Amino acid sequence: MARSARAVAAMLVAVVVPASLGMRWPTTTGPRQSSSTSTTRRAQVAALGGGLAAMISSCASAAITDDDEASVAAEAVRLFERGDLDASLAAWTALTQRTPTERLYWANRGTVELILGSRRAKLGEKPTGAAERQLLSAVASFERASALGDRDALSLNNLGNALGVLLRWPEAADAYDRAAAAAFDAKTAATASLARQNRAQVALELGDWADAESRVVALVRRDPNFLDGRALLAAIKFRRGDKDGAEEAFAAICRPAVSSPNRFTPPTRGLGGTDWCEAYASRDIVTGRWTPTATEAYDAFLASRSKSARLVADANPFRDL
């Protein structure tokens, strides 16, 4: 395979996850290109234009030559960024058929299949028909990428996402554990937090509230600026009868003074504050992103609060953790 084709396939392109995916998935990873991709390179990819779209829509795997491969991969990225997911999927599928040993092609194909399948599904209800077929295909694509050596934490997290939408919670738990381990090894703290919170929500779906709480406590110790973790901790503590603990966890969202003590990122000002406090005072910020059990617990917590409640977080956010 041409090296340039693999470089195109490895770029990270962030996109907003459709609301129907649920869990703590503010972003997913689109077609991956090299991390050194510059704005100029992105412009070059986008500038390939629609001429390749016709080739992608009609090509069989055998029709893609070595010279074409990088261009097809670049066009698949462009189509993805433009929102033409069906055409992007057709391109990645053709590329996996053309070069079935390239793990990045399979990971990108799985990402697009996950997004398309999730749009036809509702988290908490078993998918059927086209949604189920697309999600099963996404799982197969991610697993194929992993078998070929893909250790990308976001791909493993997306495997967990697909399994979660399929309600295959024990398998999703394993995928999130693998994602968190891969992120830790790669020293990508934000991705590790994402996977760890997803894993905690799976614990809720499996009925283990104590395990879920211990996981979230460990998460916010490592990453005190991870506001979704604070909100989830509030929901879990309230559901387990610790109303004061729930209020204190929520109050930490409202105070922009927490610094990150981990070794992966330098200490920074916290991300909380009035705006976040107001945002997390509504269920809308978690609806469609969290699992059903987590969302129901957060709903119950918010319903218990006075609308005028505004607490000041403890000066030491780790006091009771």
Side-chain angles (χ1 to χ4, degrees), residues 170-220:
E171 294 169 88
D174 178 69
Y176 291 134
D177 283 338
R178 291 163 60 196
F184 181 84
D185 290 342
K187 296 186 178 180
T188 52
T191 305
S193 295
L194 189 72
R196 288 180 180 123
Q197 192 194 32
N198 285 345
R199 178 62 179 86
Q201 291 190 58
V202 169
L204 297 182
E205 297 305 318
L206 294 174
D208 195 338
W209 288 80
D211 179 55
E213 181 169 352
S214 67
R215 289 178 181 277
V216 180
V217 166
L219 164 60
V220 297

Side-chain angles (χ1 to χ4, degrees), residues 53-71:
M55 179 178 72
I56 289 173
S57 64
S58 61
C59 69
S61 61
I64 302 178
T65 68
D66 289 339
D67 291 338
D68 290 336
E69 195 165 333
S71 296

Side-chain angles (χ1 to χ4, degrees), residues 17-26 123 161 165 176 198 201 286-291:
V17 173
S20 60
L21 264 81
M23 294 196 187
R24 172 62 170 92
W25 301 335
L123 192 66
N161 293 350
V165 180
Y176 291 134
N198 285 345
Q201 291 190 58
V286 303
T287 299
R289 297 193 299 110
W290 286 10
T291 63

Side-chain angles (χ1 to χ4, degrees), residues 2 24 26 40 60 65 81 99 111 157 172 180 234 252 257 269 272-273 279 317 321:
R24 172 62 170 92
T40 300
T65 68
E81 292 179 321
T99 310
T111 296
N157 187 76
R269 292 286 293 177
L321 298 182

